Amino acid sequence: SSAGSSADLLRVLVSVFLPPLGVFLQEGIGTQFWINLLLTLMGYLPGLVHAIWIIAPNKTHPHERNAEPPQTG
């Protein structure tokens, strides 16, 4: 949807300036936020790459985000 794409674009733009904030807007305060904060403290570029990595899958494949693995047996 157009609204979803606009929100993702906003999160990416926010991530350029402050990567942990972009991840927070996408995931909330959870594991990915803390990983991103640590990466950003280690260097801007690792934090930015991680933030884009977290935000981009939601934009391209929303049905795969947080999907459960297929059942076997």
Side-chain angles (χ1 to χ4, degrees), residues 1 4-5 8 10 13 16 19-20 26 30 40-41 44 54-56 61 65 67 71:
S1 76
S5 297
D8 286 337
L10 178 62
L13 291 174
V16 169
Q26 177 75 28
T40 302
L41 290 174
Y44 169 76
I54 294 300
I55 295 167
H61 302 287
R65 194 75 170 149
Q71 298 292 328

Side-chain angles (χ1 to χ4, degrees), residues 21-64:
L21 182 56
V23 174
F24 170 76
L25 293 173
Q26 177 75 28
E27 300 283 327
I29 293 186
T31 305
Q32 295 301 328
F33 171 79
W34 294 111
I35 290 171
N36 188 268
L37 185 62
L38 181 63
L39 287 170
T40 302
L41 290 174
M42 293 169 50
Y44 169 76
L45 192 58
L48 177 61
V49 169
H50 179 258
I52 301 300
W53 183 270
I54 294 300
I55 295 167
N58 187 47
K59 185 164 79 171
T60 56
H61 302 287
H63 62 280
E64 293 179 7

